[in-house]
Amino acid sequence: MAEPILKVNSVTKCFGGLTAVNDVSFDVQPGEIIGLLGPNGAGKTTLFNVISGFYAPTSGTIIFKGQDISGKPPYTLADRGIGRTFQVVKPFAGLTVLENIIIASFLRYPKRKDAERHAWKILENTGLTDRADVSAASLTLAGRKRLEIGKALALEPTFLLLDEVVAGLNPTEADKTVELILELKKQGMTILVVEHIMRVIMNISDRLVVLNFGEKIAEGTAAEVARNPLVIEAYLGEAAA
Amino acid sequence: MKDKSIHWGLPILLVLIALPAVIQDTFFLRVITEAIMWIGLALAFDVLAGYTGYLNFGHGAFFGVGAYTTAILMMQAHWPFALALPMGGVLAGVGALIAGLPTLRLKGAYFAIATWALSRAVQQLALIMDITGGPDGMRLPSFLNPQFFYYLMLAVVAATFALLWYLLECSPFGLKLKAIREDDQGAMALGLNPTKLKMQAFILSAVPTGVLGGVYAYWITFIDPASTLGDLVSDQALVMVVFGGMGTLIGPVIGALLIFAFKTLFWAYLSDFQLLYLIILGAVIALSVVFIPNGLWGTLRGARSQKKTEEKKDEGPAAKLSPSEGE
Ligand SMILES: Nc1ncnc2c1ncn2[C@@H]1O[C@H](COP(=O)(O)OP(=O)(O)OP(=O)(O)O)[C@@H](O)[C@H]1O
Ligand SMILES: [Mg+2]
């Protein structure tokens, strides 16, 4: 097996007395899509925030491309090749869609002209071209989620973290986003994706990691995970509650 | 995306350069000189307030630092004005660096309060120190040449405008600042370092303000803690920028001109009603914040693009938008 692009080593993240992520470890191989599953509050977004540098882990390390990146700030990690979206989308609301993407493009294209040219390409890939000049605030939820992906892609990342980019979309929009993710995979992008919709996550993931109350309770292919009694309990337990 | 209004810049500058040839009245020239100064102060204030989203209620301290630095270097160290003035800008920049380290971590009202408190501290310092002349202030050698100060003020403010236009409207820097203003967490994920950018904006805001303080000191020939380190500069700049339109370079120019014209006329004809001036000013601000939150210029400019978007919406999504977008 190749050297993993990302190694999550016994990562724990506490907020005061609450342990949001508890001793979680897993590896991600280059080119893989890993689905991160778990009930609400399981710690998925917190783990994303640790990997992308928004939180330093309370203990444990994150190794990215062979280097320890734990606690490095997000802007350094963006430069190293980690792109992410936010579950609660963060459009630059007062700016146009094009400006949003141009800002993200500056990382790889520091000149305004080059950044703008690159941004148009991203707009096209994410189906936002005809929205270029409207303010990001006026986008629909689907548009905002697309914009999140567009901004992350404008960074030309090698590793992409997608936090519920499909949730809340209608089936047509959802299919388009899934298509986009699969296209990225074809181009060799490594992706860690959080999604609640089973149909989606089972479809696109090579492997799944399941969290519950901050702990990893299962890891494996979709079929393996679906058979895991801990997973069944976590989900049925939640449904019964 | 770029603002076409810049094309007016050169003709306006030429008119301003020719103006003293036409205007012989020194009082009038003096009024215009001060108006130009306020344009500069409002522009510098807007770097942080409008573009970066930080209301600096201690902005006036940079003006005072520039004024006192220039005055002290000229009077105590006998530097020529031409050398003392740039040092006013440099020291204001250094002041921003020092003040920014703790305050730029704060947001919203906390930043406003902290910068206000710091500026109060600076004023107190000027009141108790010997080198600043304490409450008596400092007198500078008088150089009675209204045209010189008109042209100097014009040069400083025109250079400030050009620099800000380049940095904020043409180079990536302006968009990066706006990203910080809109969402600093989101900006960080895109590779932007908010601490560094905010510091750069703070210094960019402080340096021209310090230089203007230095010009003011030599021009007026007398400075004291009340006139150069009080709240006036911050408050007035804020009012001008909010009224004219934050986050643009044209807005502060319009705001500064209108507010300063109003102030000058009021003081010329109704100077017995000083309180009324403040009440009217307060009302103008309250009303403009409520009814034209983007300021005069922002509203004027926004009205056009707004109309465009609404037309699109009214025609229904099928008319102009690709069906796949599905709104
Ligand atoms: N900044 C924070 N401060 C305190 N507690 C937090 C913080 N962020 C998350 N938590 C808590 O950590 C736990 C895990 O939250 P997290 O957002 O990571 O869950 P999640 O798996 O992403 O859930 P969801 O599916 O609802 O998005 C929750 O109990 C949450 O309340
Ligand atoms: Mg989450």
Side-chain angles (χ1 to χ4, degrees), chain A residues 15 18 20 39-46 55 87 164 196:
Chain A
F15 297 108
L18 180 99
N40 289 116
K44 305 178 296 290
T45 297
T46 305
Y55 301 140
Q87 181 179 354
E164 305 205 12
H196 281 298

Side-chain angles (χ1 to χ4, degrees), chain A residues 22-104:
Chain A
N22 194 355
D23 197 24
V24 170
S25 303
F26 62 91
D27 290 353
V28 182
Q29 302 298 328
E32 251 188 330
I33 297 189
I34 302 283
L36 189 58
L37 275 176
N40 289 116
K44 305 178 296 290
T45 297
T46 305
L47 186 58
F48 265 37
N49 283 333
V50 173
I51 295 172
S52 59
F54 280 83
Y55 301 140
T58 310
S59 67
T61 52
I62 309 280
I63 310 292
F64 180 66
K65 293 179 182 165
Q67 286 178 311
D68 186 353
I69 57 162
S70 340
K72 290 244 181 331
Y75 42 85
T76 306
L77 299 186
D79 193 37
R80 300 256 182 109
I82 298 183
R84 69 162 295 177
T85 66
F86 290 90
Q87 181 179 354
V88 179
V89 293
K90 292 186 179 298
F92 302 132
L95 306 178
T96 67
V97 169
L98 177 64
E99 285 172 324
N100 268 262
I101 307 270
I102 289 177
I103 289 165

Side-chain angles (χ1 to χ4, degrees), chain A residues 94 99 110 112 127 130-131 140, chain B residues 1 172 182 185 322 325 327:
Chain A
E99 285 172 324
R112 171 85 186 222
D130 50 11
R131 284 285 188 274
T140 58
Chain B
M1 187 166 13
E182 296 292 320
Q185 300 271 310
S322 94
E325 194 43 52
E327 236 191 30

Side-chain angles (χ1 to χ4, degrees), chain B residues 226-245:
Chain B
S227 65
T228 61
L229 283 165
D231 284 329
L232 182 81
V233 171
S234 313
D235 292 354
Q236 199 108 271
L238 172 80
V239 168
M240 289 165 171
V241 169
V242 168
F243 186 59

